[in-house]
Amino acid sequence: MLVKTIALSQIGGYLKNDRWCKIYYDHTIELDDEDDDWVEKQTKNVDYNKIKEKYAKEMEQDEQDDEDEYETEKAPMTLPQLSVRLGIIIYGELILFPILIQIFSNLFESMDMQKVFATKDIFVLCIFTAFIWTIPLFYMYYNQKATKKIIACCMIGELIRILVYLPSFMKYYNSHEYSIRVFIFFILIDIIRLLILFTFAIHVLKSEQEYAPSPRD
């Protein structure tokens, strides 16, 4: 055991200190001052400009590959992915806005503080929106060609809903039971709700998506 230990120690010391072993294992080169002439001879005919150009081209290629990978990651979302966002917006509004009206009900109270104007109305309007926008939601999820046409029809349906609700709104206004502040807040809330929905709908209309082929195709 002692002889073996001594032999292994000698071999280990040789591998650790030998310059050629360092080149092979550690990838390092140690040169003495007397080896300067040898280094000069070995590097005499080396064209450093060619080496520099070679590495510059490799770096440009790597940067181009990184840019292509980045562009691939930023690919536009598909219609099924957009349908998930549309569903979050539709049903999120159905839950969020009635709750906000209920929390800030003091802003929508009548002058005698016996009635709250917007609680029922905003809930009915959100139900209407959720009902008609569920149709394009399924069309988008199943990647159908008629998606954009149905979204445009739903946007027109929302404008028609405003015109249909307008007489009831004017009836509330002419009753003089509520202050002008109530109607201003109600209009602002409905505008915000429709603005969020229409902004996303316009984004879908402008998107260029590949639709799933129909069975007849």
Side-chain angles (χ1 to χ4, degrees), residues 2 15 20 46 55 68 104 119-120 123-124 126 132 135-137 140 146-147 166 189 192 194 199 205 210:
L2 180 61
L15 294 176
W20 303 109
V46 176
Y55 281 102
D68 294 340
F104 300 100
T119 303
K120 179 181 177 181
F123 182 73
V124 172
C126 290
I132 65 171
I135 301 173
L137 184 67
M140 290 173 63
T147 297
L166 189 58
I189 287 177
I192 293 172
L194 292 178
T199 301
L205 292 176
E210 294 183 358

Side-chain angles (χ1 to χ4, degrees), residues 51-72:
I51 297 175
K52 184 178 180 180
E53 291 177 358
K54 177 182 176 182
Y55 281 102
K57 291 180 180 179
E58 291 180 355
M59 292 179 65
E60 289 178 359
Q61 185 63 34
D62 293 339
E63 291 178 356
Q64 184 65 33
D65 294 339
D66 293 339
E67 291 178 359
D68 294 340
E69 183 179 357
Y70 179 72
E71 291 177 358
T72 303

Side-chain angles (χ1 to χ4, degrees), residues 77-106:
M77 291 188 296
T78 61
L79 284 178
Q81 291 173 333
L82 291 173
S83 68
V84 175
R85 291 198 173 189
L86 178 61
I88 293 173
I89 292 173
I90 293 172
Y91 300 111
E93 288 184 351
L94 178 61
I95 297 173
L96 177 63
F97 282 92
I99 291 177
L100 288 177
I101 295 293
Q102 192 65 38
I103 292 174
F104 300 100
S105 59
N106 59 320

